[in-house]
Amino acid sequence: MEKQEEKVKRIAIGATVAGVLVILFLAITLIYQFVRIGTLNSEKSRIMDEITRLEQQIATGERDFNYYSNSSTLENLARQYGFKFESDK
């Protein structure tokens, strides 16, 4: 009988240790996932800010391009810098 009780006791201890290890592993995995989610969210925020900044640069560049592509604008700028056209005489 004592051997049977000792076997049951060892099985119970083994099952308890296995259960604790599984719970510990799951807790560690959960903590890691929370940290990873936080890291990815901050990276996503940084990337979204960078996208916004680049979209603003593109819009500014397009406005500048349209402004300087206009022939009357180029002609006025050329006159400001001293360029003389044949029609100015």
Side-chain angles (χ1 to χ4, degrees):
M1 270 300 204
E2 288 182 25
K3 289 188 181 211
Q4 186 70 17
E5 286 178 15
E6 194 170 312
K7 259 187 180 181
V8 170
K9 205 181 222 184
R10 284 186 181 195
I11 290 173
I13 290 172
T16 303
V17 169
V20 168
L21 289 176
V22 166
I23 290 172
L24 184 64
F25 173 76
L26 291 174
I28 290 171
T29 303
L30 186 65
I31 291 169
Y32 171 77
Q33 291 299 321
F34 284 144
V35 169
R36 185 76 175 135
I37 288 169
T39 303
L40 290 175
N41 281 340
S42 66
E43 186 176 345
K44 177 184 173 186
S45 176
R46 184 189 60 78
I47 290 171
M48 294 303 289
D49 291 344
E50 181 73 9
I51 288 171
T52 302
R53 187 183 65 78
L54 292 173
E55 285 174 343
Q56 288 173 348
Q57 277 186 338
I58 289 170
T60 302
E62 286 175 350
R63 281 194 308 270
D64 290 347
F65 176 76
N66 290 335
Y67 176 76
Y68 289 114
S69 295
N70 187 343
S71 61
S72 64
T73 301
L74 291 175
E75 195 173 308
N76 288 336
L77 287 171
R79 284 194 172 96
Q80 285 177 5
Y81 287 102
F83 190 81
K84 303 291 182 192
F85 290 95
E86 289 182 14
S87 60
D88 291 343
K89 293 181 182 178

